Amino acid sequence: MHAKFSREITRMKRIEGQARGVVRMMEEERYCIDILQQLSAIEAAVRAAKSKVLEIHAAHCIEDAIRTGDSEGQRQKFRELVDLFEKVGR
Amino acid sequence: MHAKFSREITRMKRIEGQARGVVRMMEEERYCIDILQQLSAIEAAVRAAKSKVLEIHAAHCIEDAIRTGDSEGQRQKFRELVDLFEKVGR
Amino acid sequence: MHAKFSREITRMKRIEGQARGVVRMMEEERYCIDILQQLSAIEAAVRAAKSKVLEIHAAHCIEDAIRTGDSEGQRQKFRELVDLFEKVGR
Amino acid sequence: MHAKFSREITRMKRIEGQARGVVRMMEEERYCIDILQQLSAIEAAVRAAKSKVLEIHAAHCIEDAIRTGDSEGQRQKFRELVDLFEKVGR
């Protein structure tokens, strides 16, 4: 099931749990430094998820373009992919 | 209640909901571009949360240092704060 | 001449000049805030240069892969390109 | 001479030299990957310079605020410093 994103679903559920953990830390008025550390961990996890989804998307686009065969269509598809990488990278 | 972090708790609950939304999008095998957009929104929200917690911490440190009064202690506290900003900023 | 990078050469010469400008500002012990602003401008210009060189490289790889024609070679080339985008993006 | 920024001047002269090196690489139409690597090195060096100038500025502000002594003035100065860190950090 959900073969395409199965690992990323696990990853996102972990992020959801981490966000809930930060809510609890804030309710308990825990030390800011500890909260910041948790937020940095979430930020890194979200970036990793983005990177993985982008990779899945790129692999799909590449297969699609190769299957199509026609040069102009391939050129178009790859340029869109390059634009996406630039946009997401920022 | 939880006066210190009340707005940030609301913010984190929204992030938790957004992460749950991405799980659902992945289960429905939604288009990667839409998922990436959601992940970018979460990333921005987590950064904003970090920035706010850092601000709360800094305000607290500043009041603490001013109350203490002694120069050497103040110097020490502010240097720690500068180090923290550099660490978290990356 | 240097058709491939002609605009980027102009860009890099401007960055070189900006760096020299910061040296001068530091020698004149100008206000830190002004120096920081100049450094941020240089950072943005270097990022833009990176982005442009990456684009030139990607366009070249895409043409090369399309010309080759063979699917396995194309797959290989595009994966390398995706890896490069991920590496440079960080 | 220029005691305040002496190390940073050395650093900026090195960055200036690196930018000139990239101009040469581009004129010789060197491989994009090598140029990208050099640009990443410059980006890292510029960030390090920013970080150092910010540190020098913060140290100066802290001394200034401590010397002033009056609480309201200190509070004001530190808040400005926190704002600056947030602005530069992005």
Side-chain angles (χ1 to χ4, degrees), chain B residues 41-65:
Chain B
I42 297 177
E43 194 186 352
V46 173
R47 276 166 176 276
K50 264 174 75 178
S51 178
K52 277 296 165 193
V53 173
L54 197 51
E55 234 173 65
I56 290 169
H57 179 66
H60 180 85
C61 288
I62 290 168
E63 287 316 307
D64 193 41

PDB file of all heavy atoms in Angstrom, chain B residues 41-65:
ATOM      1  N   ALA B  41       5.762  25.154   3.372  1.00  0.00           N
ATOM      2  CA  ALA B  41       4.971  25.952   4.326  1.00  0.00           C
ATOM      3  C   ALA B  41       5.290  25.519   5.765  1.00  0.00           C
ATOM      4  O   ALA B  41       5.446  26.361   6.650  1.00  0.00           O
ATOM      5  CB  ALA B  41       3.479  25.788   4.038  1.00  0.00           C
ATOM      6  N   ILE B  42       5.413  24.205   5.978  1.00  0.00           N
ATOM      7  CA  ILE B  42       5.754  23.717   7.326  1.00  0.00           C
ATOM      8  C   ILE B  42       7.141  24.204   7.725  1.00  0.00           C
ATOM      9  O   ILE B  42       7.350  24.678   8.844  1.00  0.00           O
ATOM     10  CB  ILE B  42       5.683  22.173   7.384  1.00  0.00           C
ATOM     11  CG1 ILE B  42       4.242  21.689   7.122  1.00  0.00           C
ATOM     12  CG2 ILE B  42       6.188  21.652   8.737  1.00  0.00           C
ATOM     13  CD1 ILE B  42       4.097  20.170   7.096  1.00  0.00           C
ATOM     14  N   GLU B  43       8.084  24.103   6.797  1.00  0.00           N
ATOM     15  CA  GLU B  43       9.453  24.551   7.088  1.00  0.00           C
ATOM     16  C   GLU B  43       9.455  26.025   7.519  1.00  0.00           C
ATOM     17  O   GLU B  43      10.089  26.383   8.518  1.00  0.00           O
ATOM     18  CB  GLU B  43      10.328  24.357   5.841  1.00  0.00           C
ATOM     19  CG  GLU B  43      11.816  24.460   6.131  1.00  0.00           C
ATOM     20  CD  GLU B  43      12.663  24.421   4.860  1.00  0.00           C
ATOM     21  OE1 GLU B  43      12.114  24.169   3.759  1.00  0.00           O
ATOM     22  OE2 GLU B  43      13.878  24.660   4.970  1.00  0.00           O
ATOM     23  N   ALA B  44       8.736  26.857   6.785  1.00  0.00           N
ATOM     24  CA  ALA B  44       8.673  28.281   7.122  1.00  0.00           C
ATOM     25  C   ALA B  44       8.034  28.488   8.498  1.00  0.00           C
ATOM     26  O   ALA B  44       8.489  29.325   9.281  1.00  0.00           O
ATOM     27  CB  ALA B  44       7.894  29.036   6.048  1.00  0.00           C
ATOM     28  N   ALA B  45       7.004  27.708   8.810  1.00  0.00           N
ATOM     29  CA  ALA B  45       6.321  27.840  10.105  1.00  0.00           C
ATOM     30  C   ALA B  45       7.241  27.414  11.258  1.00  0.00           C
ATOM     31  O   ALA B  45       7.252  28.045  12.320  1.00  0.00           O
ATOM     32  CB  ALA B  45       5.035  27.012  10.104  1.00  0.00           C
ATOM     33  N   VAL B  46       8.031  26.365  11.035  1.00  0.00           N
ATOM     34  CA  VAL B  46       8.961  25.905  12.082  1.00  0.00           C
ATOM     35  C   VAL B  46      10.045  26.962  12.317  1.00  0.00           C
ATOM     36  O   VAL B  46      10.401  27.271  13.459  1.00  0.00           O
ATOM     37  CB  VAL B  46       9.587  24.535  11.723  1.00  0.00           C
ATOM     38  CG1 VAL B  46      10.663  24.152  12.718  1.00  0.00           C
ATOM     39  CG2 VAL B  46       8.515  23.448  11.667  1.00  0.00           C
ATOM     40  N   ARG B  47      10.552  27.549  11.223  1.00  0.00           N
ATOM     41  CA  ARG B  47      11.544  28.624  11.363  1.00  0.00           C
ATOM     42  C   ARG B  47      10.969  29.804  12.138  1.00  0.00           C
ATOM     43  O   ARG B  47      11.645  30.411  12.968  1.00  0.00           O
ATOM     44  CB  ARG B  47      11.942  29.155   9.988  1.00  0.00           C
ATOM     45  CG  ARG B  47      13.022  28.358   9.316  1.00  0.00           C
ATOM     46  CD  ARG B  47      13.066  28.775   7.849  1.00  0.00           C
ATOM     47  NE  ARG B  47      14.146  28.128   7.161  1.00  0.00           N
ATOM     48  CZ  ARG B  47      15.410  28.571   7.147  1.00  0.00           C
ATOM     49  NH1 ARG B  47      15.746  29.683   7.772  1.00  0.00           N
ATOM     50  NH2 ARG B  47      16.341  27.900   6.499  1.00  0.00           N
ATOM     51  N   ALA B  48       9.726  30.165  11.848  1.00  0.00           N
ATOM     52  CA  ALA B  48       9.086  31.286  12.544  1.00  0.00           C
ATOM     53  C   ALA B  48       8.945  30.961  14.028  1.00  0.00           C
ATOM     54  O   ALA B  48       9.166  31.821  14.881  1.00  0.00           O
ATOM     55  CB  ALA B  48       7.725  31.594  11.918  1.00  0.00           C
ATOM     56  N   ALA B  49       8.607  29.710  14.335  1.00  0.00           N
ATOM     57  CA  ALA B  49       8.482  29.293  15.738  1.00  0.00           C
ATOM     58  C   ALA B  49       9.837  29.414  16.446  1.00  0.00           C
ATOM     59  O   ALA B  49       9.924  29.934  17.564  1.00  0.00           O
ATOM     60  CB  ALA B  49       7.948  27.866  15.827  1.00  0.00           C
ATOM     61  N   LYS B  50      10.894  28.938  15.775  1.00  0.00           N
ATOM     62  CA  LYS B  50      12.244  29.042  16.335  1.00  0.00           C
ATOM     63  C   LYS B  50      12.600  30.486  16.641  1.00  0.00           C
ATOM     64  O   LYS B  50      13.114  30.812  17.710  1.00  0.00           O
ATOM     65  CB  LYS B  50      13.276  28.518  15.323  1.00  0.00           C
ATOM     66  CG  LYS B  50      13.680  27.092  15.509  1.00  0.00           C
ATOM     67  CD  LYS B  50      14.575  26.618  14.379  1.00  0.00           C
ATOM     68  CE  LYS B  50      16.007  27.156  14.450  1.00  0.00           C
ATOM     69  NZ  LYS B  50      16.823  26.605  13.321  1.00  0.00           N
ATOM     70  N   SER B  51      12.316  31.340  15.671  1.00  0.00           N
ATOM     71  CA  SER B  51      12.623  32.749  15.796  1.00  0.00           C
ATOM     72  C   SER B  51      11.897  33.365  16.996  1.00  0.00           C
ATOM     73  O   SER B  51      12.468  34.147  17.755  1.00  0.00           O
ATOM     74  CB  SER B  51      12.243  33.422  14.481  1.00  0.00           C
ATOM     75  OG  SER B  51      12.473  34.786  14.537  1.00  0.00           O
ATOM     76  N   LYS B  52      10.643  32.976  17.202  1.00  0.00           N
ATOM     77  CA  LYS B  52       9.849  33.511  18.310  1.00  0.00           C
ATOM     78  C   LYS B  52      10.377  33.010  19.657  1.00  0.00           C
ATOM     79  O   LYS B  52      10.460  33.776  20.625  1.00  0.00           O
ATOM     80  CB  LYS B  52       8.376  33.105  18.144  1.00  0.00           C
ATOM     81  CG  LYS B  52       7.612  34.016  17.207  1.00  0.00           C
ATOM     82  CD  LYS B  52       7.539  35.431  17.783  1.00  0.00           C
ATOM     83  CE  LYS B  52       7.119  36.450  16.752  1.00  0.00           C
ATOM     84  NZ  LYS B  52       7.359  37.827  17.232  1.00  0.00           N
ATOM     85  N   VAL B  53      10.695  31.719  19.731  1.00  0.00           N
ATOM     86  CA  VAL B  53      11.203  31.163  20.993  1.00  0.00           C
ATOM     87  C   VAL B  53      12.538  31.819  21.348  1.00  0.00           C
ATOM     88  O   VAL B  53      12.802  32.157  22.504  1.00  0.00           O
ATOM     89  CB  VAL B  53      11.328  29.621  20.915  1.00  0.00           C
ATOM     90  CG1 VAL B  53      12.026  29.060  22.154  1.00  0.00           C
ATOM     91  CG2 VAL B  53       9.947  28.980  20.760  1.00  0.00           C
ATOM     92  N   LEU B  54      13.356  32.050  20.325  1.00  0.00           N
ATOM     93  CA  LEU B  54      14.644  32.707  20.535  1.00  0.00           C
ATOM     94  C   LEU B  54      14.428  34.133  21.073  1.00  0.00           C
ATOM     95  O   LEU B  54      15.137  34.588  21.970  1.00  0.00           O
ATOM     96  CB  LEU B  54      15.385  32.741  19.200  1.00  0.00           C
ATOM     97  CG  LEU B  54      16.884  32.997  19.206  1.00  0.00           C
ATOM     98  CD1 LEU B  54      17.612  32.084  20.166  1.00  0.00           C
ATOM     99  CD2 LEU B  54      17.434  32.803  17.789  1.00  0.00           C
ATOM    100  N   GLU B  55      13.454  34.803  20.524  1.00  0.00           N
ATOM    101  CA  GLU B  55      13.122  36.162  20.959  1.00  0.00           C
ATOM    102  C   GLU B  55      12.669  36.177  22.429  1.00  0.00           C
ATOM    103  O   GLU B  55      13.078  37.044  23.200  1.00  0.00           O
ATOM    104  CB  GLU B  55      11.972  36.689  20.098  1.00  0.00           C
ATOM    105  CG  GLU B  55      12.231  38.003  19.430  1.00  0.00           C
ATOM    106  CD  GLU B  55      11.101  38.338  18.472  1.00  0.00           C
ATOM    107  OE1 GLU B  55       9.955  38.549  18.947  1.00  0.00           O
ATOM    108  OE2 GLU B  55      11.343  38.364  17.257  1.00  0.00           O
ATOM    109  N   ILE B  56      11.814  35.230  22.775  1.00  0.00           N
ATOM    110  CA  ILE B  56      11.327  35.114  24.157  1.00  0.00           C
ATOM    111  C   ILE B  56      12.500  34.860  25.100  1.00  0.00           C
ATOM    112  O   ILE B  56      12.627  35.481  26.155  1.00  0.00           O
ATOM    113  CB  ILE B  56      10.278  33.975  24.279  1.00  0.00           C
ATOM    114  CG1 ILE B  56       8.984  34.384  23.552  1.00  0.00           C
ATOM    115  CG2 ILE B  56      10.000  33.615  25.741  1.00  0.00           C
ATOM    116  CD1 ILE B  56       7.988  33.243  23.370  1.00  0.00           C
ATOM    117  N   HIS B  57      13.388  33.956  24.669  1.00  0.00           N
ATOM    118  CA  HIS B  57      14.562  33.629  25.481  1.00  0.00           C
ATOM    119  C   HIS B  57      15.459  34.855  25.646  1.00  0.00           C
ATOM    120  O   HIS B  57      15.928  35.150  26.753  1.00  0.00           O
ATOM    121  CB  HIS B  57      15.326  32.489  24.812  1.00  0.00           C
ATOM    122  CG  HIS B  57      16.556  32.080  25.551  1.00  0.00           C
ATOM    123  ND1 HIS B  57      16.503  31.499  26.801  1.00  0.00           N
ATOM    124  CD2 HIS B  57      17.866  32.172  25.230  1.00  0.00           C
ATOM    125  CE1 HIS B  57      17.740  31.251  27.210  1.00  0.00           C
ATOM    126  NE2 HIS B  57      18.577  31.651  26.285  1.00  0.00           N
ATOM    127  N   ALA B  58      15.692  35.566  24.549  1.00  0.00           N
ATOM    128  CA  ALA B  58      16.569  36.738  24.592  1.00  0.00           C
ATOM    129  C   ALA B  58      15.996  37.801  25.532  1.00  0.00           C
ATOM    130  O   ALA B  58      16.720  38.371  26.355  1.00  0.00           O
ATOM    131  CB  ALA B  58      16.758  37.312  23.191  1.00  0.00           C
ATOM    132  N   ALA B  59      14.686  38.055  25.427  1.00  0.00           N
ATOM    133  CA  ALA B  59      14.040  39.057  26.285  1.00  0.00           C
ATOM    134  C   ALA B  59      14.221  38.675  27.757  1.00  0.00           C
ATOM    135  O   ALA B  59      14.534  39.527  28.596  1.00  0.00           O
ATOM    136  CB  ALA B  59      12.559  39.161  25.937  1.00  0.00           C
ATOM    137  N   HIS B  60      14.078  37.394  28.027  1.00  0.00           N
ATOM    138  CA  HIS B  60      14.235  36.887  29.397  1.00  0.00           C
ATOM    139  C   HIS B  60      15.680  37.077  29.881  1.00  0.00           C
ATOM    140  O   HIS B  60      15.915  37.569  30.983  1.00  0.00           O
ATOM    141  CB  HIS B  60      13.833  35.410  29.417  1.00  0.00           C
ATOM    142  CG  HIS B  60      13.952  34.795  30.751  1.00  0.00           C
ATOM    143  ND1 HIS B  60      12.945  34.878  31.698  1.00  0.00           N
ATOM    144  CD2 HIS B  60      14.957  34.102  31.327  1.00  0.00           C
ATOM    145  CE1 HIS B  60      13.349  34.257  32.795  1.00  0.00           C
ATOM    146  NE2 HIS B  60      14.554  33.773  32.597  1.00  0.00           N
ATOM    147  N   CYS B  61      16.643  36.705  29.052  1.00  0.00           N
ATOM    148  CA  CYS B  61      18.061  36.853  29.411  1.00  0.00           C
ATOM    149  C   CYS B  61      18.413  38.308  29.670  1.00  0.00           C
ATOM    150  O   CYS B  61      19.182  38.622  30.579  1.00  0.00           O
ATOM    151  CB  CYS B  61      18.970  36.364  28.281  1.00  0.00           C
ATOM    152  SG  CYS B  61      18.999  34.601  28.077  1.00  0.00           S
ATOM    153  N   ILE B  62      17.901  39.197  28.816  1.00  0.00           N
ATOM    154  CA  ILE B  62      18.211  40.616  28.939  1.00  0.00           C
ATOM    155  C   ILE B  62      17.687  41.151  30.279  1.00  0.00           C
ATOM    156  O   ILE B  62      18.417  41.806  31.031  1.00  0.00           O
ATOM    157  CB  ILE B  62      17.619  41.413  27.742  1.00  0.00           C
ATOM    158  CG1 ILE B  62      18.396  41.077  26.456  1.00  0.00           C
ATOM    159  CG2 ILE B  62      17.623  42.913  27.999  1.00  0.00           C
ATOM    160  CD1 ILE B  62      17.749  41.565  25.169  1.00  0.00           C
ATOM    161  N   GLU B  63      16.424  40.821  30.601  1.00  0.00           N
ATOM    162  CA  GLU B  63      15.853  41.281  31.881  1.00  0.00           C
ATOM    163  C   GLU B  63      16.665  40.746  33.048  1.00  0.00           C
ATOM    164  O   GLU B  63      16.964  41.456  34.008  1.00  0.00           O
ATOM    165  CB  GLU B  63      14.385  40.845  32.008  1.00  0.00           C
ATOM    166  CG  GLU B  63      13.447  41.627  31.120  1.00  0.00           C
ATOM    167  CD  GLU B  63      13.725  43.129  31.147  1.00  0.00           C
ATOM    168  OE1 GLU B  63      13.769  43.726  32.246  1.00  0.00           O
ATOM    169  OE2 GLU B  63      13.939  43.715  30.063  1.00  0.00           O
ATOM    170  N   ASP B  64      17.025  39.479  32.938  1.00  0.00           N
ATOM    171  CA  ASP B  64      17.802  38.821  33.974  1.00  0.00           C
ATOM    172  C   ASP B  64      19.154  39.518  34.177  1.00  0.00           C
ATOM    173  O   ASP B  64      19.550  39.826  35.306  1.00  0.00           O
ATOM    174  CB  ASP B  64      17.999  37.358  33.546  1.00  0.00           C
ATOM    175  CG  ASP B  64      18.517  36.509  34.683  1.00  0.00           C
ATOM    176  OD1 ASP B  64      18.031  36.698  35.824  1.00  0.00           O
ATOM    177  OD2 ASP B  64      19.405  35.673  34.444  1.00  0.00           O
ATOM    178  N   ALA B  65      19.822  39.797  33.063  1.00  0.00           N
ATOM    179  CA  ALA B  65      21.147  40.427  33.139  1.00  0.00           C
ATOM    180  C   ALA B  65      21.044  41.836  33.714  1.00  0.00           C
ATOM    181  O   ALA B  65      21.873  42.239  34.538  1.00  0.00           O
ATOM    182  CB  ALA B  65      21.777  40.475  31.750  1.00  0.00           C
TER     183      ALA B  65
END
